């Protein structure tokens, strides 16, 4: 595996320009719009590595009169083209000449427009070659101080080319070859050496992107994490890719148009690469680095600690409370929720379905406290006045919530569905939709928590999947945290790699709840990887199991809720 600072060969970055076959083309026409005919002359020169390897030249019968001003400009008369082949007869040979080459032309859209139209009219498939426009390239490489414009004749005069343009196809093609070779030499001063880099260079990119292109040099073509840092070594942005070098180079191309990335590049002074055994390790490292450093230009995964939990307190008459941390205090927790707002919606669903008290008082089993308005409205069993025993409260209120969190949420869901139906029958559709949204928040949290809990209770788990070039990608997970990652080479038994990984794997001390050793996002990334069809479970410290009547069985109901919300708000609330 290459080191983080290994200089790659040009062949690792793309096709070197010296190895590219170019066909430099020029057409003369009758001057009309491209309609499939109208071509009067074709000239093409094939070059590779600075050497000419072939020429193609022919007059063409345009199947139309040649206007006098075109004859004056080009010197091509109707008498000259009358015995010449028609376009349909020339195309097969020309397309064969173009096969496998990059098409080059000065003001290329003009020439390619005529060739595309001719192929369409005469029933030949357009081969869609890569096209390089020397006019556009000259605009990027030559300043107004050097040339007043970028016409072929102006460039030829400036470069003192051996062949001067004459508005005849072969002469103009030969001139364009000399212009192309000069421009390729000029590209070297911009550290552009490959065909792929040239294609991006021609596009419109900002001066800042062009000035900072060197930051992408020397990065490994391997999976891993890249970190843009400023002059004070502060992380600005953290990303991941299966090929660090390819991904980082994309920030300096026309494809990158995000304003915040432009601001980031302005501040960036270097790019640090951290190679990883495989893409899964890279994803996990990215999450951890973002959480640790809070880079200003990362938007997601910056604050994994900012989660909310719905807590059923451990007391005689438990109540629901929204807290920011899970503690080993004997209480029942549901979560984590990505925001307090969603946690509040789940709590509202629980209050809608169960007679849980909503007051925040510490109630005594010996003395009473005056009841609030909810008791008078019949929405609370008034444990404050001891109208309900602790045993009955546990059976009717606290117990069903605990069951919904750890096992079967069916009774809670059925109660909420009945409430939705009652509201809908009374044409109180907005209220029914609110209850439906709250039910989804509660149910989705239960699905997530049960899924995480089943995974993170496994003390140690090892899994592997086939590598893209052979061998195996291996991961060791303890209590939902990636503790070792490696790759076995093709032809070697992966068990030896796994044993070495086990011996050096990170030691973890699990805490309480469904995320005892890692963020929920990390554990869910690992779960997504483990659930891929090509991943094999090698060994586990104990069984991986879910509640038989758990929340996951309501997946179809959640899908219907999501579909109903999408139908009601097709723009997603924007």
């Amino acid at each position: 595996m290459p080191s983080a600072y290994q200089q790659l060969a040009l062949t690792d970055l793309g096709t070197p320009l010296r190895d590219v076959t170019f066909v430099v083309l020029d057409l003369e026409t009758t001057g009309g719009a491209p309609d499939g005919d109208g071509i009067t002359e074709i000239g093409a020169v094939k070059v590779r590595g600075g050497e000419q390897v072939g020429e193609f030249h022919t007059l063409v019968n345009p199947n139309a009169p040649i206007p006098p001003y075109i004859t004056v400009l080009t010197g091509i008369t109707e008498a000259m083209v009358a015995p010449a082949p028609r376009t349909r007869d020339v195309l097969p040979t020309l397309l064969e000449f173009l096969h496998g080459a990059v098409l080059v032309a000065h003001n290329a859209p003009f020439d390619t427009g005529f060739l595309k139209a001719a192929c369409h009219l005469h029933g030949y498939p357009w081969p869609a070659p890569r096209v390089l426009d020397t006019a556009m390239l000259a605009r990027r490489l030559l300043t107004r101080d050097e040339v007043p414009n970028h016409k072929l004749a102006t460039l030829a005069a400036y470069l003192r080319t051996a062949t001067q343009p004459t508005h005849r196809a072969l002469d103009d093609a030969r001139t364009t070859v000399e212009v192309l070779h000069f421009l390729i030499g000029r590209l070297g001063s911009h550290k552009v050496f490959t065909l792929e880099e040239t294609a991006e260079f021609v596009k419109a990119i900002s001066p800042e992107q062009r000035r900072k292109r060197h930051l992408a040099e020397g990065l490994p073509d391997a999976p891993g994490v890249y970190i843009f840092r400023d002059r004070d070594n502060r992380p600005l942005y953290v990303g991941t890719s299966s090929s660090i070098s390819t991904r980082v180079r994309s920030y300096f191309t026309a494809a990158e148009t995000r304003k915040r990335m432009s601001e980031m590049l302005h501040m960036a002074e270097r790019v640090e690469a951290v190679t990883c055994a495989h893409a899964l390790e890279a994803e996990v490292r990215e999450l951890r680095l973002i959480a640790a450093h809070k880079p200003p230009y990362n938007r997601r995964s910056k604050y994994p600690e900012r989660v909310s939990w719905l807590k059923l307190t451990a007391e005689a008459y438990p109540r629901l409370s929204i807290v920011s941390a899970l503690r080993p205090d004997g209480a029942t927790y549901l979560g984590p929720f990505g925001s307090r707002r969603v946690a509040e919606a789940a709590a509202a669903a629980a209050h809608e379905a169960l007679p849980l008290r909503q007051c925040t008082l510490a109630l005594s089993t010996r003395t009473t406290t005056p009841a609030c308005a909810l008791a008078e409205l019949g929405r609370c069993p008034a444990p404050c006045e001891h109208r309900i025993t602790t045993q009955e409260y546990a059976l009717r209120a606290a117990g069903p919530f605990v069951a919904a969190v750890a096992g079967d949420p069916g009774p809670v869901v059925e109660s909420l569905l009945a409430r939705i139906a009652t509201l809908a029958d009374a044409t109180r559709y907005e209220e029914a939709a609110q209850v439906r949204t709250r039910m989804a928040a509660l149910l989705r949290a239960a699905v997530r928590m049960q899924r995480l809990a089943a995974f993170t209770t496994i003390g140690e788990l090892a899994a592997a999947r086939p590598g893209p070039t052979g061998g195996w990608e291996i991961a060791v997970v303890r209590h939902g945290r990636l503790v070792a990652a490696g790759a076995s080479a093709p032809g070697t038994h992966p068990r030896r790699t796994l044993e070495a990984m086990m011996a050096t794997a990170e030691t973890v001390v699990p805490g309480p709840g469904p995320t005892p050793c890692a963020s929920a996002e990390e554990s869910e990334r690992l779960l997504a990887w483990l659930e891929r069809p090509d991943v094999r479970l090698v060994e586990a410290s104990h069984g991986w199991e879910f509640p038989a009547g758990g929340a996951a069985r309501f997946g179809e109901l959640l899908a219907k809720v999501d579909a109903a919300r999408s139908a009601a708000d097709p723009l997603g609330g924007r």
Side-chain angles (χ1 to χ4, degrees):
M1 183 177 294
S3 67
Y5 301 100
Q6 179 179 341
Q7 176 67 50
L8 299 180
L10 292 178
T11 52
D12 293 322
L13 303 177
T15 308
L17 290 171
R18 65 173 180 270
D19 295 335
V20 177
T21 300
F22 298 100
V23 169
V24 184
L25 177 90
D26 186 77
L27 302 180
E28 300 300 331
T29 71
T30 57
D35 59 1
D37 281 318
I39 299 173
T40 60
E41 188 177 30
I42 301 173
V45 182
K46 182 177 291 188
V47 293
R48 180 184 175 91
E51 300 292 333
Q52 180 175 320
V53 295
E55 278 190 352
F56 179 92
H57 176 242
T58 182
L59 289 167
V60 183
N61 188 329
N63 198 29
I66 299 177
Y69 77 92
I70 294 293
T71 297
V72 171
L73 180 67
T74 65
I76 299 174
T77 66
E78 293 186 14
M80 292 170 61
V81 300
R86 298 287 183 89
T87 305
R88 64 174 179 269
D89 301 320
V90 171
L91 274 176
T93 307
L94 176 61
L95 294 176
E96 179 63 28
F97 191 74
L98 289 173
H99 180 70
V102 175
L103 176 60
V104 180
H106 203 76
N107 293 319
F110 173 85
D111 301 274
T112 57
F114 270 89
L115 291 180
K116 286 180 182 178
C119 287
H120 178 73
L121 177 66
H122 300 294
Y124 292 98
W126 172 242
R130 283 189 128 168
V131 178
L132 184 61
D133 189 341
T134 50
M136 290 184 63
L137 191 55
R139 291 187 189 103
R140 300 280 181 233
L141 291 169
L142 296 171
T143 67
R144 287 286 183 181
D145 293 335
E146 294 176 291
V147 290
N149 58 62
H150 301 92
K151 296 178 180 179
L152 184 60
T154 302
L155 296 176
Y158 172 71
L159 300 176
R160 299 179 182 178
T161 57
T163 305
Q164 291 294 310
T166 61
H167 290 293
R168 292 300 299 269
L170 189 57
D171 283 345
D172 288 7
R174 288 169 174 169
T175 303
T176 305
V177 168
E178 295 186 65
V179 171
L180 172 66
H181 286 161
F182 168 80
L183 296 175
I184 288 176
R186 182 68 69 91
L187 282 170
S189 63
H190 293 270
K191 300 185 182 299
V192 174
F193 302 103
T194 69
L195 178 62
E196 291 75 12
E197 291 175 328
T198 302
E200 292 296 338
F201 184 86
V202 171
K203 298 176 183 177
I205 62 174
S206 69
E208 192 67 37
Q209 287 175 304
R210 201 182 306 280
R211 187 173 68 85
K212 295 288 184 76
R213 286 176 64 93
H214 67 279
L215 297 181
E217 295 177 2
L219 298 177
D221 182 22
V225 178
Y226 54 90
I227 308 166
F228 283 88
R229 295 184 181 271
D230 64 11
R231 65 178 61 187
D232 298 322
N233 210 36
R234 181 175 63 121
L236 298 173
Y237 183 81
V238 176
T240 183
S241 176
S242 58
S243 171
I244 297 174
S245 61
T246 301
R247 182 67 185 99
V248 173
R249 285 202 309 274
S250 72
Y251 288 90
F252 304 96
T253 68
E256 181 53 77
T257 58
R258 293 172 291 178
K259 182 179 179 181
R260 65 189 179 92
M261 289 295 102
S262 297
E263 295 175 357
M264 185 273 292
L265 291 177
H266 179 73
M267 300 173 64
E269 292 296 327
R270 72 182 184 92
V271 179
E272 177 184 343
V274 181
T275 57
C276 298
H278 43 67
L280 175 65
E281 183 190 8
E283 289 181 26
V284 171
R285 284 187 178 274
E286 178 194 34
L287 289 175
R288 294 179 186 175
L289 285 168
I290 292 173
H293 298 292
K294 310 284 190 291
Y297 291 95
N298 281 96
R299 286 183 173 175
R300 297 181 178 179
S301 309
K302 288 172 69 172
Y303 303 102
E305 70 279 5
R306 292 185 182 178
V307 296
S308 295
W309 297 85
L310 193 56
K311 174 182 179 179
L312 183 68
T313 57
E315 52 185 315
Y317 294 104
R319 63 181 178 85
L320 293 179
S321 175
I322 298 175
V323 297
S324 59
L326 188 152
R327 304 183 187 282
D329 54 6
T332 297
Y333 289 84
L334 175 64
F337 294 91
S339 70
R340 185 179 181 87
R341 178 180 58 82
V342 181
E344 289 171 346
H351 288 135
E352 190 80 41
L354 303 171
L356 289 163
R357 69 183 180 97
Q358 299 183 41
C359 60
T360 59
L361 299 174
L363 301 185
S364 170
T365 57
R366 294 183 179 181
T367 60
T368 62
T369 305
C372 63
L374 289 175
E376 300 302 323
L377 295 172
R379 298 188 59 187
C380 178
C384 51
E385 293 186 345
H386 297 173
R387 298 182 196 176
I388 184 172
T389 65
T390 56
Q391 293 81 6
E392 188 179 0
Y393 186 86
L395 181 65
R396 292 175 50 197
F401 182 82
V402 174
V405 169
D408 184 9
V412 174
V413 172
E414 290 169 7
S415 177
L416 291 169
L417 290 175
R419 177 62 176 160
I420 292 170
T422 299
L423 292 171
D425 290 342
T427 67
R428 295 161 63 180
Y429 300 119
E430 290 186 2
E431 293 178 63
Q434 287 181 344
V435 175
R436 181 188 66 196
T437 299
R438 293 167 182 169
M439 177 187 69
L442 178 65
L443 189 53
R444 190 171 282 111
V447 171
R448 185 187 192 194
M449 183 166 175
Q450 291 180 15
R451 184 167 178 261
L452 283 170
F455 176 50
T456 59
T457 53
I458 301 174
E460 184 173 85
L461 177 152
R465 69 180 291 266
T469 59
W472 292 87
E473 297 178 352
I474 306 172
V476 178
V477 180
R478 291 174 179 165
H479 294 290
R481 180 180 180 86
L482 182 69
V483 295
S488 65
T492 63
H493 200 289
R495 172 58 65 176
R496 284 180 289 178
T497 302
L498 176 58
E499 289 174 352
M501 291 168 55
M502 290 286 198
T504 58
E506 177 186 358
T507 300
V508 299
V509 179
T515 55
C517 297
S519 68
E521 191 169 359
E522 176 176 334
S523 294
E524 286 171 331
R525 292 283 182 94
L526 296 173
L527 269 169
W529 185 80
L530 288 165
E531 290 169 349
R532 294 177 56 162
D534 59 344
V535 172
R536 299 184 184 181
L537 188 61
V538 179
E539 57 185 50
S541 58
H542 66 274
W544 190 351
E545 57 191 15
F546 296 87
R553 65 190 177 94
F554 290 100
E556 186 176 345
L557 175 61
L558 284 172
K560 289 181 179 178
V561 172
D562 291 340
R565 292 182 63 184
S566 298
D569 186 6
L571 296 181
R574 297 179 199 174

